Amino acid sequence: MATLGSGVVLHLPPMVLTSSISKPFLPNPIDRTKSPIKSSSLKDCKTIDELKMFHRSLAKQGLDSDASSITKLVSRSCELGTRESLSFAREVFDHSVENGQSYRSCFIYNSLIRGYASSGLCDEALSLFLRMVIAGISPDKYTFPFGLSACAKSRANRDGIQIHGLIVKMDYAGDLFVQNSLVHFYAECGELDCARKVFDKMLERNVVSWTSMICGYARRDFAKDAVDLFFQMMRSSDGVKPNSVTMVCVISACAKLEDLETCEKVYDFIRNSGVEVNDLMVSALVDMYMKCNGDDAARKLYDQYGGGNLDLCNAMASNYVRKGLTKEALGVLNLMMGSGVRPDRISMLSAISSCSQQRNLLWGKSCHGFVLRNGFESWDNICNALIDMYMKCCRRDSAFKIFDRMLKKTVVSWNTVVAGYVENGEVDAAWETFKAMPEKNIVSWNTIIGALVQASMFEEAVEVFRSMQREDGVDADGVTMMSIASACGHLGALDLAKWVYYYIEKNGIEIDVKLGTSLVDMFSRCGDPGSAMSIFDGLSNRDVSAWTAAIRAMAMAGNGNRAIELLSEMIEQGMKPDGVVFVGALTACSHGGLVQQGKEIFDSMERVHGVSPEDVHYGCMVDLLGRAGLLEEALQLIESMPMEPNDVIWNSLLAACRVQGNVEMAAYAAERIQVLAPERTGSYVLLSNVYASAGRWNDVAKVRMSMKEKGLRKSPGTSLIQIQGKTHEFTSGDESHPEMLKIEAMLDEISELGHVPDLGNVLMDVDEEEKRFMLSRHGEKLAMAFGLISSKKGTTIRIVKNLRVCSDCHSFAKLASRVYNREIVLRDNNRFHFIRHGKCSCNDFW
């Protein structure tokens, strides 16, 4: 029983399972007096007109009913392989059958099935296979491969499986040709387990067997399996040598692995085995080396085989573009044209993309002109590349002219416009275009979510993500979750962060090193260093970014010693630290007061690791020395810098002077800042605070007047707390919260329990009573009091503050944590304070 094509169930007659037929085929009597048609004349027919003329000749001689002649005519028509020749073959065959002729040989069916399958007319091929079986004609070892070829091309899994069952019933399962066809069918349809089962059962294998299985793995992103099978082929006792098709598949798999050592092994085999190297193989080798960071080897191959190979030039140029080496890509294309090779649309994609990355409008217009002159504007991907180029070059009018002329605007076209707006920082325009899109895919959602995160619109990004979940057929991927993790980290929303991690696990999204690094950063920013390090420990392939995120997590948590240990572990594992890693390590030393360790790390940067310190590293060292009270040493370091110190470095010194109360040095640092960055509000505020701490109120007034004259305003201190998923914001002195009466009662209760206000934190010339009141209305105190009255006993209170927490609020939090047995997590603009049982993780050093 079989079901083919339309799903008709066939009860095969017994004769199908045998190689003989019940009655011999008796052709109509032939007039022997007429001259027979020579077969050589049929072979000379090269066109459909010549075949039709030959058919008329048969009819004139009365041979149009001769089975042998008709079979040869049908076979020759199928060999031509055009739709017209196949239609003619089918007409001749059907006409003969209608006239009562019966073709009991499978040869004519094989010719038709093969012809249709080769031309991609797979449904017709399978229909003929079904018709043959119904007619009681037994398929042979050629019929099955032709039928399986049709199934492979049309991805007709069900029909192919039924043909496989027929193969087993008719005892053709041991034939090498049939087995190879089965392996190819299953591999092409993505049923690699089935393909491997057939392959493993083969008693004999040839190059087709191995190549079909290797290519099946390579095309389905099982690159390692493809390469492993290739080396198994080399070690096998079959004595089979690969051909160029085998090698192209293996080379393609190596490119996906991005393993240069494996690439070298494969290339060594090619050089030593005598395999003929054709143009396609050279292009694949160049692509492989470029993807595996073997640029020098790729360039040698390119130079060796010259610039006259279009595919080779395209492989070289497209990989240069992918790596951002646009000048090199354009150089390859120039050499190609100099060699007389005419660029195709793939070449132009590389050229236009190079112009986009360079923001080179003049060259981009030249490419556009070439596209128009050569008729490439009908290709969607060319138009999309031009739109991208014009958007990047801030020529929206030109971009929209191309977009409006496109007959078929694909989702990629819309995505390109949205991405162009994002690139130019026009988030509102990107959002409006996104909403107008008739169709959206995952790239659309990722682009707009990423844009919102980039624009610091974190809550909006999370809301768009929730809208995406309500869309049918759109599933988040790793890129989506990286953006959402970043949004959660900036919001400091731990509950949301935990939900994001649960969502990733529930939906089976792979946590690769990039997503894992984002999750480490997310949890560290949300004040959960334990979860951050748990994810880091679970990453199998850690890169420099992952180590940096872990070191930064420990720095934010105030665990300087663990941060230094991580740096040592990273170096021991052969990873080369970069400048960003050292920023994290030096910050950890600064937050932990580890002066000596910080000095040693700074000293080792260039001497041991070849990383030249930049201004950001000097800024970390100034902060480290300043926090430790070593202001003179910090100033000496600034004056010894090989580059001009920027306003950030002077601001680090100024902030240290604020903590240490050094008025003269603070004024000097402030003067330098006002020259370098006169609009920097924070420096004026710090200097004002230094003067206020010293009781120099006239100087305070001068600084504030200067700010007013320059139109500068101090950013208000805000503190955020989440209760039951809702964010509450408190600013210093604001009494507008609906629960203010209860908040005041809680503040009074804590004061009665022993909190003594540190009036030195009030930097205004007012009496003590006013100072006490002002201190009691600091944003973080209001948030803490609200958290205590609004959350269950024993739950952690988490507060995010946009400025540095003051010493009075810090001591207030320590008292509240001890009295009410609560953990209080305070995140200010610099670090986290984990306060438990009256003690803080910063050891009162921040």
Side-chain angles (χ1 to χ4, degrees):
M1 185 173 72
T3 306
L4 290 171
S6 61
V8 178
V9 178
L10 301 179
H11 296 275
L12 300 177
M15 67 176 68
V16 172
L17 304 179
T18 65
S19 59
S20 60
I21 53 178
S22 57
K23 294 182 180 180
F25 175 70
L26 299 176
N28 292 334
I30 299 174
D31 187 347
R32 300 295 180 186
T33 62
K34 297 180 181 178
S35 327
I37 299 295
K38 293 182 180 179
S39 60
S40 59
S41 62
L42 183 60
K43 292 179 181 177
D44 293 336
C45 295
K46 306 293 185 184
T47 66
I48 185 65
D49 291 335
E50 291 174 352
L51 287 171
K52 288 180 178 179
M53 190 179 296
F54 182 87
H55 187 223
R56 287 194 291 270
S57 177
L58 284 179
K60 287 179 182 178
Q61 299 178 59
L63 296 175
D64 55 339
S65 60
D66 176 53
S68 176
S69 299
I70 293 300
T71 298
K72 290 176 181 177
L73 176 62
V74 169
S75 177
R76 180 59 186 154
S77 298
C78 291
E79 285 176 9
L80 286 186
T82 66
R83 285 182 176 263
E84 194 176 2
S85 68
L86 287 169
S87 297
F88 174 69
R90 186 65 178 267
E91 287 173 9
V92 171
F93 175 73
D94 290 341
H95 179 72
S96 300
V97 172
E98 288 171 4
N99 287 342
Q101 292 173 265
S102 177
Y103 292 96
R104 308 300 299 179
S105 165
C106 75
F107 178 79
I108 194 167
Y109 278 101
N110 285 352
S111 298
L112 286 164
I113 294 169
R114 181 183 188 181
Y116 277 116
S118 298
S119 299
L121 301 171
C122 301
D123 289 341
E124 290 85 346
L126 292 172
S127 176
L128 280 163
F129 189 101
L130 177 62
R131 177 174 172 178
M132 175 184 178
V133 173
I134 292 173
I137 301 171
S138 298
D140 62 12
K141 66 178 183 179
Y142 301 105
T143 318
F144 291 118
F146 299 152
L148 288 169
S149 175
C151 293
K153 288 182 178 179
S154 62
R155 303 295 189 269
N157 296 42
R158 184 182 177 190
D159 292 341
I161 291 169
Q162 290 184 76
I163 290 176
H164 189 179
L166 200 56
I167 287 168
V168 173
K169 288 180 182 178
M170 297 185 68
D171 202 24
Y172 281 108
D175 182 85
L176 179 61
F177 189 28
V178 174
Q179 288 173 325
N180 284 344
S181 298
L182 282 168
V183 172
H184 175 74
F185 156 69
Y186 281 121
E188 285 295 299
C189 292
E191 301 288 346
L192 293 174
D193 289 341
C194 295
R196 189 59 188 258
K197 285 178 182 178
V198 175
F199 179 83
D200 288 341
K201 288 180 180 178
M202 294 175 71
L203 299 177
E204 178 189 358
R205 303 186 185 103
N206 60 14
V207 67
V208 176
S209 322
W210 289 95
T211 302
S212 295
M213 197 68 240
I214 289 170
C215 291
Y217 279 133
R219 289 169 184 161
R220 293 284 172 173
D221 292 331
F222 290 92
K224 188 176 186 305
D225 298 275
V227 174
D228 290 345
L229 190 61
F230 168 73
F231 285 116
Q232 183 183 331
M233 174 186 176
M234 296 298 95
R235 295 189 300 267
S236 72
S237 58
D238 295 350
V240 179
K241 292 185 178 180
N243 57 25
S244 60
V245 179
T246 321
M247 294 315 306
V248 168
C249 286
V250 173
I251 293 166
S252 171
C254 288
K256 292 177 181 178
L257 282 178
E258 298 184 4
D259 183 350
L260 188 57
E261 185 179 351
T262 304
C263 293
E264 294 289 359
K265 289 179 182 178
V266 171
Y267 187 47
D268 285 342
F269 169 82
I270 293 171
R271 285 184 294 192
N272 299 326
S273 64
V275 175
E276 183 182 354
V277 179
N278 56 27
D279 289 347
L280 188 60
M281 196 185 300
V282 174
S283 299
L285 283 168
V286 166
D287 183 67
M288 173 189 76
Y289 273 119
M290 290 292 283
K291 284 187 168 64
C292 298
N293 295 319
D295 293 15
D296 292 340
R299 188 74 201 197
K300 285 179 182 177
L301 281 168
Y302 172 75
D303 293 339
Q304 179 181 350
Y305 287 91
N309 181 339
L310 178 61
D311 290 334
L312 175 58
C313 292
N314 284 344
M316 199 77 186
S318 61
N319 275 289
Y320 272 140
V321 171
R322 181 179 58 82
K323 289 171 174 278
L325 303 172
T326 53
K327 290 183 179 178
E328 290 82 351
L330 291 172
V332 169
L333 295 170
N334 284 332
L335 285 173
M336 180 181 81
M337 296 181 74
S339 303
V341 179
R342 189 173 186 80
D344 62 3
R345 62 189 181 92
I346 298 174
S347 316
M348 293 314 300
L349 277 174
S350 296
I352 296 167
S353 297
S354 297
C355 298
S356 294
Q357 291 186 31
Q358 291 189 20
R359 310 293 196 273
N360 194 315
L361 182 60
L362 181 62
W363 290 358
K365 285 183 173 181
S366 297
C367 290
H368 192 182
F370 186 93
V371 165
L372 294 173
R373 290 192 300 274
N374 290 272
F376 291 155
E377 71 274 12
S378 60
W379 294 94
D380 291 342
N381 52 2
I382 290 286
C383 290
N384 294 335
L386 286 169
I387 292 169
D388 180 63
M389 182 272 295
Y390 280 122
M391 291 294 282
K392 281 188 168 72
C393 293
C394 300
R395 290 296 299 271
R396 287 189 300 175
D397 53 342
S398 299
F400 277 106
K401 282 180 182 177
I402 298 170
F403 182 76
D404 292 338
R405 287 197 199 107
M406 292 180 71
L407 296 176
K408 183 182 178 182
K409 298 177 179 66
T410 65
V411 67
V412 178
S413 310
W414 285 92
N415 286 344
T416 305
V417 173
V418 173
Y421 278 129
V422 172
E423 185 85 18
N424 294 324
E426 300 179 69
V427 179
D428 290 341
W431 175 245
E432 292 302 320
T433 305
F434 174 80
K435 290 193 295 184
M437 290 177 67
E439 177 190 358
K440 302 178 183 73
N441 62 11
I442 185 61
V443 176
S444 319
W445 290 97
N446 287 348
T447 302
I448 198 65
I449 290 172
L452 293 170
V453 172
Q454 188 177 337
S456 299
M457 300 170 69
F458 306 119
E459 292 183 358
E460 291 84 350
V462 173
E463 188 57 41
V464 171
F465 172 64
R466 287 175 173 148
S467 298
M468 172 185 163
Q469 292 176 279
R470 295 191 288 269
E471 291 280 325
D472 292 334
V474 181
D475 296 321
D477 60 9
V479 177
T480 322
M481 302 319 297
M482 284 173 62
S483 294
I484 296 302
S486 177
C488 289
H490 282 92
L491 289 171
L494 182 60
D495 289 341
L496 183 59
K498 288 179 178 179
W499 177 85
V500 166
Y501 185 59
Y502 169 77
Y503 179 92
I504 291 170
E505 287 195 317
K506 179 184 175 183
N507 290 276
I509 298 173
E510 180 187 0
I511 301 181
D512 58 13
V513 66
K514 289 184 177 179
L515 178 55
T517 301
S518 297
L519 292 173
V520 171
D521 188 64
M522 174 186 74
F523 277 118
S524 67
R525 286 176 177 271
C526 291
D528 189 354
S531 295
M533 295 309 297
S534 176
I535 291 171
F536 173 77
D537 292 338
L539 292 176
S540 55
N541 297 314
R542 301 169 186 157
D543 61 6
V544 175
S545 297
W547 285 97
T548 303
I551 291 170
R552 192 162 49 214
M554 293 296 94
M556 291 184 73
N559 194 342
N561 289 318
R562 180 55 184 148
I564 295 172
E565 288 175 4
L566 286 168
L567 177 63
S568 299
E569 289 174 19
M570 173 186 174
I571 295 169
E572 287 172 5
Q573 293 187 21
M575 301 291 293
K576 183 176 174 59
D578 60 10
V580 183
V581 173
F582 285 113
V583 170
L586 291 172
T587 301
C589 292
S590 178
H591 288 174
L594 306 175
V595 178
Q596 187 59 36
Q597 293 93 322
K599 288 181 178 180
E600 291 172 0
I601 290 171
F602 183 77
D603 179 61
S604 72
M605 284 180 61
E606 191 162 20
R607 181 175 54 83
V608 178
H609 304 288
V611 178
S612 298
E614 299 176 9
D615 48 12
V616 65
H617 302 106
Y618 281 97
C620 290
M621 286 302 296
V622 170
D623 186 60
L624 169 64
L625 295 170
R627 284 172 183 268
L630 304 172
L631 294 178
E632 292 294 337
E633 190 174 344
L635 182 58
Q636 290 173 11
L637 179 65
I638 293 174
E639 292 173 343
S640 68
M641 286 175 59
M643 72 282 291
E644 188 69 24
N646 59 25
D647 60 297
V648 177
I649 290 174
W650 286 111
N651 199 71
S652 294
L653 181 63
L654 177 56
C657 292
R658 158 76 179 91
V659 175
Q660 304 300 331
N662 191 319
V663 179
E664 289 72 21
M665 193 177 290
Y668 175 68
E671 287 176 9
R672 303 304 305 153
I673 295 170
Q674 289 170 18
V675 172
L676 295 169
E679 76 290 345
R680 188 180 183 114
T681 307
S683 62
Y684 290 92
V685 174
L686 281 172
L687 182 60
S688 172
N689 292 346
V690 172
Y691 285 141
S693 297
R696 293 168 55 170
W697 301 111
N698 288 336
D699 291 325
V700 171
K702 289 178 182 178
V703 172
R704 291 180 178 174
M705 181 60 69
S706 178
M707 287 180 65
K708 188 175 182 180
E709 290 173 351
K710 293 177 181 178
L712 302 177
R713 296 185 63 186
K714 176 185 174 183
S715 299
T718 60
S719 298
L720 305 177
I721 184 171
Q722 269 202 348
I723 301 294
Q724 296 179 352
K726 183 179 179 182
T727 301
H728 298 261
E729 181 176 342
F730 294 89
T731 59
S732 293
D734 183 14
E735 299 183 344
S736 62
H737 195 279
E739 298 291 331
M740 195 60 202
L741 290 176
K742 293 181 180 179
I743 291 171
E744 287 178 337
M746 176 54 69
L747 291 172
D748 291 340
E749 183 178 314
I750 295 174
S751 296
E752 291 171 3
L753 290 171
H755 175 64
V756 179
D758 181 1
L759 301 182
N761 282 278
V762 179
L763 304 174
M764 297 184 71
D765 190 12
V766 294
D767 60 36
E768 286 195 6
E769 190 61 34
E770 182 67 15
K771 286 183 179 182
R772 289 176 183 274
F773 179 79
M774 293 175 70
L775 278 177
S776 70
R777 294 302 184 267
H778 275 196
E780 51 265 59
K781 281 197 186 75
L782 297 173
M784 270 186 272
F786 179 68
L788 288 169
I789 65 174
S790 304
S791 59
K792 294 180 181 179
K793 292 182 179 180
T795 58
T796 300
I797 295 173
R798 297 178 180 275
I799 297 167
V800 178
K801 182 175 173 58
N802 66 332
L803 301 176
R804 182 181 183 272
V805 63
C806 77
S807 60
D808 184 65
C809 291
H810 193 262
S811 61
F812 183 90
K814 289 198 297 180
L815 175 64
S817 74
R818 178 172 57 81
V819 171
Y820 297 102
N821 194 24
R822 297 284 197 106
E823 179 181 3
I824 299 175
V825 180
L826 269 173
R827 170 182 157 187
D828 64 15
N829 63 344
N830 219 5
R831 61 172 299 163
F832 275 95
H833 298 266
F834 297 94
I835 305 171
R836 304 180 185 93
H837 309 300
K839 294 183 179 179
C840 183
S841 59
C842 72
N843 293 317
D844 298 337
F845 182 87
W846 79 96

